Amino acid sequence: MPWMQGYPFYLVMGSVLSLYMGIGSYKHRHTPGRCYLWILMLLVSMIFAATAGEILPGSFEAKLWWKNVQQGPLFFLSAIFTYAVIKEYVSRSSEGLSKRLIYFCIPVAVDVLLIFTDSYHHLMRSEVGLATVAGVTGIALKPTVLSMIFIAYDQLFGLYAVYLLAISLLNGPKYYFRHNALLLFSLLVPVLSVFLLPLLQITITGFTAFTYLPPIVAAYLTLFRDPRLSLYPLAKNKIFENMKDGIVLTDRYDYIMDVNEAADAMLSELLEEKPETWMGASIQPLLRQHGQLSACYAERREGQFEIEPPGRSGSCYGVALIAIEQVRAKGTGMLLVFSDLSEKKRVERELLHQATVDDLTGLYNRRHFMRLVQNYSAQMGAGMALLLFDIDDFKLINDTYGHMAGDQALVDLSGKIMQVYHNQGIAGRVGGEEFAVCFFAGSEAEALEEAESFRTAMSEHIVELDGGHHIQLTVSIGIAFTDQADVTFEDLYREADEALYLSKATGKNRVTLGREPLVRQAAKG
């Protein structure tokens, strides 16, 4: 076979090519998915060099020594580091991988030691001799059962590497499958060659070394020609893990493929359980708790939602659904981005409280009270009563006991108002010592009876001031009532205000009923 005359040259070229790619890969060893690739390429370069060393010398001892040198990287380290490259390439985090590789390499060290000392114990080879195939002379071996066990150990890593890459590509976007298919198929070459070469009866020395060339070339091109082809480009470790937002990636079967630390904590809070890991768990329990989110997810539609953890008031999470395929279909996974909106909601509630509630008394402020009552009257119509309260001689309380006592009196009256009208009206502070309550009554007499009942209760109430002083508050009340839907709130308020003025002008601590507000013709028109 004339082409076999250049066989050693091909082996040397394979060694040089692998060495070149290994050196190039070393420069980028700290970038995602590339930490162990340079080691694998150097191992393959050693395999080619050792194979050339096996067939070039003339002596049996030299050939056997190079054969022994070849065995470690060929049958053991190459498969383990192929697994390491793929594991780091497809995994979100490679934390702890280096430590595991040390343990995985312990059997390799034992095997290499046994190989080099086999002439003393023959545990690894039952027969050793020379064989010439197509003009190439090399060492022919017959492995023992123990040696086959070590080889099987090695092949498990190669098979597992193929499995990891295949599963990741099948569950990932179609874009990544198309661009990483070359890497997957080339990785099958050295794995399948272990089973196919004996069947094809290919016994040329060093031919197995060439089976490692396709995967390392494909890996080199895939990981360095286009950095976008990495399954986790730059989103690994530093960015992905340190994000404050929670990231959850699900596959087509709704199982969680990936989750960062923030999402792990959020899922535990939302589902009220803390598993060892959410990886591989179903996202369905979360979806079942939130109907709108579930419906959008089922249709693979993008959307924004707000959800709250059960049993925890004040906590709120925003959830963004993002399709991981440009063409959304039910057979694809989804990306869920969780944002903690608790602080934002707290600030919103605080701003709303400041805009609508009186700081001192806790009742609605004047502006918000007016707005609520206007909507109230427009929706409910007839039978509405408006009560205006004013603390009698409030200036005297301030002058006698101080403004702190005056504030305490206002807070005390507000508490009574909230206690009485909490579920049956709208209450607010509409002035310095003036309060208002709007509620519905069946008749004018019923509204008047309600106002008189409140006045009586206040006249019997004692306010205990700081410092041991006691005062008895009385209130003057003006009331207006209407059962006409077209009466405006402004007219109702005017009549109640005039009635309040009469109550204070005619002796205080009394209730005065205002006139029935007139329906303005202009308002009707």
Side-chain angles (χ1 to χ4, degrees):
M1 301 179 68
W3 66 271
M4 291 300 296
Q5 295 177 1
Y7 188 62
F9 174 76
Y10 306 145
L11 293 171
V12 172
M13 288 301 298
S15 178
V16 172
L17 177 61
S18 302
L19 180 63
Y20 168 79
M21 292 189 294
I23 294 173
S25 303
Y26 179 79
K27 298 177 183 178
H28 304 279
R29 64 190 183 281
H30 296 303
T31 55
R34 301 165 174 86
C35 181
Y36 300 100
L37 183 60
W38 69 278
I39 300 177
L40 176 62
M41 291 179 174
L42 292 184
L43 289 172
V44 174
S45 179
M46 288 177 58
I47 294 171
F48 277 106
T51 303
E54 177 187 353
I55 64 176
L56 289 175
S59 68
F60 174 80
E61 290 76 13
K63 289 180 178 290
L64 181 60
W65 188 86
W66 281 108
K67 185 71 171 182
N68 292 340
V69 170
Q70 179 199 79
Q71 296 302 292
L74 178 60
F75 285 110
F76 302 101
L77 291 174
S78 56
I80 291 176
F81 280 93
T82 298
Y83 154 77
V85 169
I86 298 301
K87 177 66 175 177
E88 192 199 22
Y89 182 53
V90 303
S91 297
R92 166 176 49 83
S93 174
S94 58
E95 183 179 358
L97 180 58
S98 298
K99 187 175 181 180
R100 292 197 299 273
L101 289 178
I102 294 175
Y103 293 135
F104 294 155
C105 289
I106 292 176
V108 176
V110 174
D111 177 72
V112 172
L113 180 62
L114 291 175
I115 287 175
F116 273 92
T117 59
D118 187 68
S119 59
Y120 300 102
H121 49 70
H122 304 294
L123 294 175
M124 305 299 291
R125 299 157 179 171
S126 59
E127 293 181 12
V128 180
L130 294 175
T132 301
V133 178
V136 176
T137 301
I139 298 295
L141 303 173
K142 186 174 181 180
T144 64
V145 174
L146 179 60
S147 180
M148 294 299 293
I149 291 174
F150 278 111
I151 294 174
Y153 169 81
D154 162 72
Q155 294 308 310
L156 286 176
F157 287 98
L159 289 171
Y160 189 54
V162 173
Y163 169 78
L164 285 178
L165 183 59
I167 290 297
S168 298
L169 295 181
L170 289 174
N171 289 326
K174 293 180 180 177
Y175 171 83
Y176 291 123
F177 182 86
R178 291 194 300 267
H179 289 79
N180 287 274
L182 174 63
L183 177 60
L184 176 62
F185 293 132
S186 63
L187 188 61
L188 289 171
V189 175
V191 174
L192 296 180
S193 66
V194 177
F195 307 99
L196 295 179
L197 292 183
L199 296 177
L200 298 175
Q201 296 183 347
I202 299 177
T203 58
I204 300 175
T205 300
F207 189 83
T208 305
F210 286 100
T211 64
Y212 278 93
L213 199 55
I216 65 169
V217 172
Y220 185 82
L221 295 177
T222 300
L223 272 67
F224 291 100
R225 290 293 297 275
D226 188 352
R228 296 173 299 171
L229 299 182
S230 176
L231 293 180
Y232 291 96
L234 302 182
K236 294 183 57 175
N237 302 332
K238 294 186 180 298
I239 296 178
F240 190 83
E241 278 302 327
N242 294 321
M243 287 183 67
K244 292 183 178 180
D245 288 343
I247 306 295
V248 175
L249 181 64
T250 63
D251 62 13
R252 68 188 71 183
Y253 306 109
D254 303 335
Y255 288 103
I256 297 175
M257 293 172 54
D258 217 341
V259 57
N260 67 351
E261 186 176 345
D264 188 279
M266 294 177 183
L267 287 175
S268 297
E269 182 178 358
L270 288 167
L271 294 175
E272 297 184 296
E273 59 178 297
K274 180 62 177 175
E276 183 177 345
T277 177
W278 286 102
M279 293 278 288
S282 175
I283 198 67
Q284 283 299 325
L286 176 67
L287 300 179
R288 284 194 291 267
Q289 290 184 4
H290 307 282
Q292 291 184 335
L293 178 64
S294 178
C296 190
Y297 181 96
E299 298 176 5
R300 298 308 194 256
R301 287 188 291 110
E302 298 187 351
Q304 301 277 346
F305 303 89
E306 291 184 2
I307 60 179
E308 297 180 359
R312 281 197 59 184
S313 60
S315 294
C316 180
Y317 292 108
V319 183
L321 284 180
I322 303 172
I324 61 175
E325 295 284 0
Q326 293 182 350
V327 179
R328 293 182 290 276
K330 291 186 178 181
T332 62
M334 293 289 283
L335 182 67
L336 291 81
V337 181
F338 292 81
S339 303
D340 191 345
L341 304 180
S342 303
E343 180 62 19
K344 177 184 176 183
K345 291 296 181 181
R346 186 195 66 77
V347 172
E348 288 178 354
R349 288 192 298 268
E350 185 175 320
L351 292 175
L352 179 63
H353 185 274
Q354 293 175 356
T356 60
V357 176
D358 178 63
D359 289 338
L360 177 64
T361 63
L363 298 174
Y364 291 128
N365 59 29
R366 179 184 180 90
R367 177 180 297 177
H368 193 60
F369 174 80
M370 297 291 191
R371 185 184 302 116
L372 288 177
V373 172
Q374 286 172 347
N375 296 334
Y376 205 38
S377 60
Q379 294 172 3
M380 303 302 294
M384 184 170 69
L386 178 66
L387 274 64
L388 294 183
F389 304 87
D390 196 295
I391 298 178
D392 295 329
D393 301 317
F394 183 72
K395 185 177 183 300
L396 181 61
I397 296 175
N398 282 332
D399 293 342
T400 304
Y401 301 103
H403 289 281
M404 293 293 291
D407 288 348
Q408 194 170 346
L410 293 173
V411 171
D412 192 277
L413 175 59
S414 302
K416 292 291 291 184
I417 293 174
M418 285 189 284
Q419 180 182 348
V420 174
Y421 297 104
H422 176 66
N423 293 319
Q424 53 178 336
I426 302 173
R429 182 186 181 190
V430 295
E433 68 270 18
E434 187 174 307
F435 300 83
V437 174
C438 184
F439 63 93
F440 291 95
S443 64
E444 186 178 84
E446 182 180 322
L448 187 60
E449 181 181 354
E450 174 65 34
E452 184 62 35
S453 174
F454 184 82
R455 185 201 65 78
T456 302
M458 285 304 304
S459 64
E460 298 173 352
H461 181 67
I462 303 298
V463 179
E464 297 184 4
L465 302 177
D466 295 338
H469 298 289
H470 300 79
I471 60 173
Q472 184 173 2
L473 291 182
T474 62
V475 294
S476 297
I477 301 177
I479 181 172
F481 176 84
T482 184
D483 56 5
Q484 300 182 55
D486 293 333
V487 171
T488 64
F489 171 76
E490 289 79 6
D491 291 334
L492 193 67
Y493 187 89
R494 185 182 301 106
E495 298 301 330
D497 190 52
E498 290 180 2
L500 174 62
Y501 176 78
L502 289 175
S503 291
K504 297 183 73 66
T506 55
K508 303 176 184 178
N509 190 24
R510 61 183 299 172
V511 176
T512 301
L513 178 65
R515 296 173 299 177
E516 172 76 18
L518 299 176
V519 178
R520 298 185 180 185
Q521 296 300 319
K524 284 185 176 183

